[in-house]
């Protein structure tokens, strides 16, 4: 597992310095589809002619490349192309490809195809992803997702022709036949079924009929709620409407807000042109595709699909109890076709191994919306695996540049308000501003204190990426990786995306053996969820937990301290208060307390996970100080002795306490600590971003003011 992100010259907003941006890369050939010519089965059904297991071997220059490195390289190439003038496919491409598919005869039998850009880029041990379309049946629903999906999956899409009238059970058999034809060549790799709407019902039916197969279901707005949808009550009205009117109505229902996808696709362009002109041009372009919608779903086909939806919903609902596959339900908040969020909560309870993620501002066709990235969703939920079980080290894919950009966008105001100060210690003991004292090569183990709710992780993770190009891998409470109580699912997706792993000896071993930069909190949840008056108090186990493992791999141990959360949040109801008033809420789905240190005694064993009630305080700075590295190289045999390792453990704890004392003293003399100066720094940052209002003489002074500290 690589310890640093393969991104060069990261600026404070994580974007590359692309000097060749004026040179546009060659665009991939169009259309995106390979020929749909396939062999026809006797039962009027079709499957792909070539099994993924029978594909040609990878070229010799890639044979020695690890899967993780290849995926990272492919993602870097993709992002380089994006910044050099390439772009992600859009809703316009969906209509254009649909139009070209409609022009030529698409036959009358379901068949499988592979998008051209997904043909051969994925590593040899990638899992297979079968896309099952929604009501349109085209198989183009992943057109905006497939460029990135093709880096980590072998992809095959189901195309159901407009004139096809295969029954629901017949379509189920098409999918089952495809799975069986591929399964033997996949070894221990799972098969992913990504379905939308009626495609979700098909995926659920296949999973229920084949509980012995290793399937992973990714379902967007399942049509299992058809009986409660507006479609159920509008069939008579649809029968009376002309095809063109149907096209307009269907386009308006495609999103949560009418034409939302059209607006999303031009939002960047609107910043560079008059708003009315850009909006009108885009709407005209969208309206020009109404005839294409009429070709995709003529009245007789739409009525057939609605009847298919009815039978699909009934079939899938009757068999939900038999679904054992790992399942992720994606629910749109503004789905005007189906009550998707309510249905997502129902399915989550009905399916044993199921999680949900909500997209409150999205419409029915989730994968065709700008800003929705299926790869990020899968990675964040820890749903990407290449074997029987998810491996937190070998299956981890480092965050891409676009994901880091989004992270920065989400936390930039927190960074601006808290104006973090980070100090590190050089080998000669000199304390310096920044992270120059942090070793670039691993393994490195950072050991320190948790602030309230782990606020210190936000600036730490981002600063390590910006300044050192290092991704910190956190060892976290196991609760973050279990099925959460309804309302909390997705709360820790960002930590999972950034490489957090659950606390265990095996995960710790794998991280250090892969020369990672690892961050550990011996105080765990007890420190992150501390009580009133316990700020900066350490709750460490009495016995050593990490020294001997670090010595085994010669890892440098760097103690650190973090202060500042007493300026950020005020505890109103802590654990003790909630116990007294019986207000305590657990976060796990079944109320079980997952305590990674249940065998210990004392305060550190009291790690009941709860939701502290707190309110913001007047913002203040966060300060983090990394002490001098403690070498363990060459001490492997010496530190096998429990007494010797315990001495080093106590030394690390003592130095963490010294780091805290140092910061609490120094921040009292920081002239830039108070809220007024912090507000000025926010304004200065905005001015610096809008550099056109600053003269070349003033800009350096503004930058110096932003970076100023004690």
């Amino acid at each position: 597992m690589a310890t640093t992100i393969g991104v060069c010259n990261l600026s404070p907003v994580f974007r590359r310095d692309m000097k060749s941006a004026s040179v546009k890369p060659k665009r991939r050939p169009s259309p995106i589809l390979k020929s749909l010519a396939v062999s026809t089965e006797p039962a009027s059904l079709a499957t792909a002619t070539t099994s993924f297991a029978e594909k040609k071997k990878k070229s010799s220059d890639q044979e020695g490349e690890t899967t993780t490195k290849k995926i990272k390289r492919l993602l870097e190439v993709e992002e380089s192309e994006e910044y050099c003038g390439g772009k992600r496919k859009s809703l316009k491409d969906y209509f254009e490809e649909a139009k070209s598919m409609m022009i030529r005869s698409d036959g009358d039998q379901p068949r499988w195809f592979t998008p051209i850009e997904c043909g051969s880029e994925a590593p040899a041990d990638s899992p297979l992803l079968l896309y099952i379309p929604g009501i349109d049946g085209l198989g183009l629903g992943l057109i905006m997702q497939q460029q990135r999906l093709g880096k980590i999956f072998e992809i095959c899409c189901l195309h159901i022709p407009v004139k096809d009238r295969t029954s629901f059970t017949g379509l189920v058999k098409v999918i089952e036949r495809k799975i069986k034809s591929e399964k033997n060549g996949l070894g221990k790799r799972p098969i992913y079924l990504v379905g939308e709407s009626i495609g979700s019902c098909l995926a659920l039916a296949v999973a229920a009929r084949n509980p012995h197969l290793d399937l992973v279901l990714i379902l967007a707005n399942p049509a299992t709620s058809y009986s409660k949808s507006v479609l159920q009550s509008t069939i008579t009205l649809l029968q009376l409407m002309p095809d063109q009117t149907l096209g307009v109505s269907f386009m308006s229902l495609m999103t949560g807000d009418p034409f939302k996808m059209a607006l999303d696709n031009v939002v960047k362009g609107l910043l560079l042109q008059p708003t009315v002109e850009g909006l009108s041009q885009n709407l005209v372009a969208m309206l020009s595709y109404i005839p294409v919608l009429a070709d995709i779903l003529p009245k007789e086909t739409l009525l057939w699909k609605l009847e298919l939806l009815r039978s699909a919903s009934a079939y899938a609902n009757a068999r939900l109890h038999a679904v054992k596959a790992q399942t992720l339900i994606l629910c749109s908040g503004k789905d005007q076709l189906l009550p998707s969020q309510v249905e997502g909560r129902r399915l989550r309870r009905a399916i044993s191994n199921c999680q949900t993620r909500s997209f409150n501002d999205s419409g029915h066709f989730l994968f065709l919306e700008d800003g929705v990235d299926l790869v990020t969703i899968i990675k964040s939920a820890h749903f990407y695996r290449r074997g029987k079980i998810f491996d937190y080290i070998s299956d981890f894919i480092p965050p891409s540049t676009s994901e880091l950009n989004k992270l920065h966008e989400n936390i930039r105001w927190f960074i601006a308000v808290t104006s973090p100060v980070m100090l590190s210690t050089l080998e000669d003991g000199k304390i310096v501003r920044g992270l120059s004292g942090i070793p670039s090569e691993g393994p490195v183990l950072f050991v320190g204190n948790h602030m309230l709710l782990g606020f210190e992780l936000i600036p730490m993770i981002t600063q390590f990426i910006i300044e050192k190009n290092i991704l910190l891998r956190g060892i976290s409470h196991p609760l973050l990786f279990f099925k959460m109580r309804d309302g909390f699912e997705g709360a820790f997706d960002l930590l999972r995306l950034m490489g957090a792993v659950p606390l265990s000896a095996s995960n710790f071993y794998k991280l250090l053996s892969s020369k990672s930069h690892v961050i550990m909190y011996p105080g765990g949840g007890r420190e992150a969820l501390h009580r009133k008056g316990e700020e900066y108090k350490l709750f460490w186990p009495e016995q050593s937990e990490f020294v001997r493992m670090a010595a085994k791999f010669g890892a440098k141990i760097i103690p650190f301290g973090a202060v500042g959360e007493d300026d950020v949040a005020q505890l109103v109801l802590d654990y003790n208060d909630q116990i007294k008033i019986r207000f305590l809420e657990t976060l796990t789905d079944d109320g079980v307390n997952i305590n990674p240190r249940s065998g210990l005694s004392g305060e550190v064993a009291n790690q009941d996970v709860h939701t502290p009630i707190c309110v913001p305080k007047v913002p203040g700075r966060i300060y983090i100080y990394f002490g001098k590295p403690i070498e363990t190289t060459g001490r492997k045999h010496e530190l096998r002795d429990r007494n010797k390792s315990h001495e080093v453990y106590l030394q690390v704890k003592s130095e963490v306490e010294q780091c805290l004392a140092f910061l609490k003293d120094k921040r009292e003399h920081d002239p830039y600590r108070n809220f007024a100066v912090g507000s000025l720094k926010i304004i200065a940052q905005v001015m610096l971003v809008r550099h056109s209002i600053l003269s070349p003489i003033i800009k350096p002074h503004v930058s110096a003011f932003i970076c100023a500290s004690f």
Side-chain angles (χ1 to χ4, degrees):
M1 174 60 218
T3 61
T4 59
I5 302 175
V7 178
C8 300
N9 302 321
L10 286 169
S11 72
V13 290
F14 304 111
R15 292 193 181 276
R16 298 184 212 277
D17 179 17
M18 299 303 297
K19 297 182 180 179
S20 59
S22 62
V23 181
K24 293 186 178 182
K26 295 181 179 179
R27 298 301 300 274
R28 290 189 173 96
S30 182
I32 64 164
L33 307 178
K34 286 183 177 179
S35 172
L36 291 178
V38 291
S39 61
T40 304
E41 296 184 359
S44 297
L45 301 174
T47 57
T49 56
T50 304
S51 167
F52 288 108
E54 298 170 352
K55 284 186 175 182
K56 63 181 181 179
K57 294 182 179 180
K58 307 298 180 180
S59 57
S60 58
D61 62 325
Q62 298 178 3
E63 288 179 355
E65 190 174 29
T66 65
T67 299
T68 301
K69 287 182 178 179
K70 178 171 182 181
I71 289 173
K72 189 165 67 173
R73 175 178 58 77
L74 290 170
L75 291 176
E76 288 170 11
V77 170
E78 167 203 328
E79 288 163 358
S80 297
E81 291 176 352
E82 177 184 348
Y83 289 121
C84 288
K87 64 178 183 178
R88 184 189 189 193
K89 291 204 171 186
S90 66
L91 185 62
K92 179 181 178 182
D93 295 298
Y94 169 84
F95 285 114
E96 288 291 342
E97 300 301 340
K99 184 178 179 181
S100 66
M101 183 181 291
M102 290 301 110
I103 290 175
R104 65 174 180 266
S105 174
D106 67 346
D108 58 358
Q109 300 168 349
R111 75 269 329 265
W112 297 91
F113 69 89
T114 299
I116 284 180
E117 59 238 62
C118 303
S120 59
E121 290 189 326
D125 63 345
S126 297
L128 171 63
L129 185 153
L130 300 181
Y131 171 66
I132 310 172
I135 195 169
D136 65 327
L138 294 179
L140 297 175
L142 294 181
I143 194 168
M144 296 174 64
Q145 312 290 334
Q146 60 199 23
Q147 185 179 22
R148 295 198 70 213
L149 286 170
K151 316 297 182 184
I152 62 176
F153 289 105
E154 299 280 8
I155 298 180
C156 201
C157 305
L158 179 63
H159 172 72
I160 304 173
V162 172
K163 297 180 180 180
D164 176 69
R165 296 297 181 262
T166 305
S167 67
F168 178 78
T169 53
L171 292 174
V172 169
K173 292 177 181 178
V174 170
I175 301 169
E176 287 180 333
R177 229 184 313 271
K178 177 64 174 175
I179 291 174
K180 291 175 181 177
S181 69
E182 300 290 348
K183 187 60 184 172
N184 291 336
L186 292 172
K188 296 182 178 180
R189 284 173 281 166
I191 293 179
Y192 283 69
L193 300 182
V194 176
E196 294 185 275
S197 185
I198 188 173
S200 297
C201 294
L202 286 164
L204 287 169
V206 171
R209 288 162 54 104
N210 300 275
H212 60 286
L213 293 178
D214 185 12
L215 302 176
V216 179
L217 309 185
I218 312 289
L219 311 179
N221 302 320
T224 46
S225 61
Y226 175 71
S227 62
K228 303 173 185 177
S229 73
V230 297
L231 296 173
Q232 175 83 350
S233 58
T234 57
I235 294 179
T236 303
L237 178 62
L238 292 173
Q239 291 174 333
L240 301 175
M241 295 174 66
D243 285 359
Q244 295 297 323
T245 306
L246 275 175
V248 175
S249 302
F250 195 74
M251 182 175 287
S252 67
L253 289 173
M254 287 179 73
T255 62
D257 296 315
F259 307 113
K260 177 177 181 293
M261 281 182 285
L263 299 177
D264 285 342
N265 288 332
V266 297
V267 67
K268 296 179 182 178
L270 291 179
L271 300 176
L272 305 175
Q273 60 181 324
T275 301
V276 175
E277 178 187 354
L279 180 59
S280 62
Q281 289 179 356
N282 192 71
L283 291 181
V284 169
M286 288 288 291
L287 292 173
S288 69
Y289 289 117
I290 290 177
V292 181
L293 278 175
D295 286 338
I296 296 172
L297 288 172
K299 183 188 297 185
E300 61 274 13
T301 299
L302 179 57
L303 294 175
W304 165 257
K305 291 292 179 71
L306 293 179
E307 178 61 25
L308 201 62
L309 276 173
R310 184 192 64 76
S311 60
S313 177
Y315 189 101
N317 279 314
R319 292 162 176 79
L320 289 178
H321 64 279
V323 177
K324 307 302 179 185
Q326 185 183 8
T327 305
L328 180 64
I329 309 288
L330 310 180
C331 315
S332 294
K334 295 182 179 179
D335 184 348
Q336 297 190 29
L337 295 179
L338 300 167
S340 293
Q341 289 201 329
V342 174
E343 183 65 5
R345 290 191 289 270
R346 184 184 76 89
L347 292 177
R348 182 181 176 278
R349 295 188 296 269
I351 300 173
S352 59
N353 187 11
C354 181
Q355 296 185 39
T356 60
R357 295 295 184 273
S358 294
F359 302 85
N360 295 330
D361 297 323
S362 295
H364 182 71
F365 292 86
L366 183 66
F367 298 143
L368 289 175
E369 294 196 17
D370 224 17
V372 175
D373 192 322
L374 184 54
V375 169
T376 301
I377 294 168
I378 292 172
K379 288 165 58 178
S380 300
H382 273 172
F383 262 64
Y384 183 75
R385 57 185 172 89
R386 303 182 187 93
K388 284 286 186 182
I389 60 174
F390 177 76
D391 189 298
Y392 292 97
I393 312 303
S394 63
D395 286 331
F396 173 69
I397 302 173
S400 65
T401 303
S402 59
E403 290 165 344
L404 293 175
N405 279 326
K406 189 171 183 179
L407 166 65
H408 178 266
E409 185 68 21
N410 291 337
I411 66 173
R412 60 192 177 95
W413 289 112
F414 179 87
I415 298 295
V417 168
T418 58
S419 189
V421 176
M422 295 197 191
L423 307 171
S424 60
T425 309
L426 303 178
E427 291 185 0
D428 60 4
K430 182 181 178 180
I431 299 174
V432 295
R433 175 73 183 268
L435 303 176
S436 56
I438 303 298
S440 297
E441 298 296 327
V444 179
L445 176 63
F446 300 90
V447 183
N449 70 296
H450 250 321
M451 298 198 307
L452 181 64
L453 299 176
F455 279 132
E456 78 287 345
L457 279 170
I458 298 174
M460 280 179 65
I461 290 174
T462 55
Q463 191 62 31
F464 267 78
I465 294 171
I466 293 170
E467 188 173 338
K468 299 290 290 186
N469 199 31
I470 289 173
L471 181 65
L472 290 178
R473 301 293 305 274
I475 297 182
S476 308
H477 196 290
L479 174 70
L480 275 62
F481 310 91
F482 280 73
K483 185 177 179 180
M484 305 289 263
R485 188 166 54 82
D486 194 17
F488 287 93
E489 298 222 304
F492 301 108
D493 278 2
L494 180 59
L495 288 178
R496 288 190 284 263
L497 179 65
M498 299 304 291
V501 304
L503 175 63
S504 73
S506 62
N507 286 334
F508 190 25
Y509 179 96
K510 290 177 181 178
L511 284 174
L512 292 181
S513 65
S514 63
K515 298 184 178 181
S516 298
H517 287 69
V518 184
I519 183 168
M520 168 181 278
Y521 294 95
R526 182 61 180 85
E527 281 181 4
L529 302 174
H530 59 246
R531 311 345 175 195
K532 295 175 183 177
E534 294 180 346
E535 298 85 357
Y536 316 130
K537 181 179 179 181
L538 300 186
F539 293 93
W540 288 24
E542 293 183 3
Q543 64 269 33
S544 167
E545 288 191 322
F546 55 82
V547 175
R548 285 188 290 176
M549 187 75 80
K552 180 178 180 64
F553 296 98
K556 293 181 176 67
I557 301 175
I558 299 182
F560 73 90
V563 303
E565 123 276 0
D566 52 346
D567 291 326
V568 176
Q570 174 68 51
L571 273 172
V572 177
L573 294 177
D574 64 7
Y575 177 81
N576 295 330
D577 295 327
Q578 294 182 38
I579 284 290
K580 291 176 183 177
I581 62 176
R582 299 182 181 181
F583 185 72
L584 190 67
E585 287 188 295
T586 58
L587 303 185
T588 52
D589 187 50
D590 54 6
V592 176
N593 176 40
I594 303 170
N595 191 342
R597 286 162 167 162
S598 55
L600 300 179
S601 58
E603 280 291 333
V604 73
N606 184 15
Q607 295 200 16
D608 292 333
V609 178
H610 65 288
T611 307
I613 307 301
C614 53
V615 296
K617 296 181 68 173
V618 176
R621 266 188 147 169
I622 288 179
Y623 305 82
I624 303 173
Y625 169 40
F626 297 93
K628 186 177 181 180
I630 298 173
E631 292 283 354
T632 64
T633 304
R635 304 182 66 185
K636 177 179 178 180
H637 297 289
E638 173 192 354
L639 294 179
R640 281 182 180 175
D641 181 86
R642 289 186 177 274
N643 293 329
K644 291 289 186 181
S645 65
H646 190 64
E647 289 177 7
V648 175
Y649 178 75
L650 295 178
Q651 177 190 354
V652 174
K653 182 179 181 181
S654 175
E655 295 202 17
V656 171
E657 292 172 334
Q658 291 177 33
C659 290
L660 291 171
F662 174 85
L663 290 176
K664 286 190 285 186
D665 175 63
K666 285 294 184 180
R667 71 174 178 169
E668 298 299 326
H669 308 289
D670 180 9
Y672 301 98
R673 180 185 174 192
N674 65 59
F675 176 70
V677 175
S679 300
L680 289 175
K681 291 168 77 68
I682 295 174
I683 296 172
Q685 285 182 322
V686 174
M687 292 173 64
L688 195 62
V689 171
R690 299 178 179 269
H691 56 81
S692 59
I693 67 175
L694 298 177
S695 70
I697 298 176
I698 298 176
K699 281 181 63 178
H701 298 286
V702 174
S703 299
F705 172 67
I706 292 173
C707 297
S709 180
F710 54 86

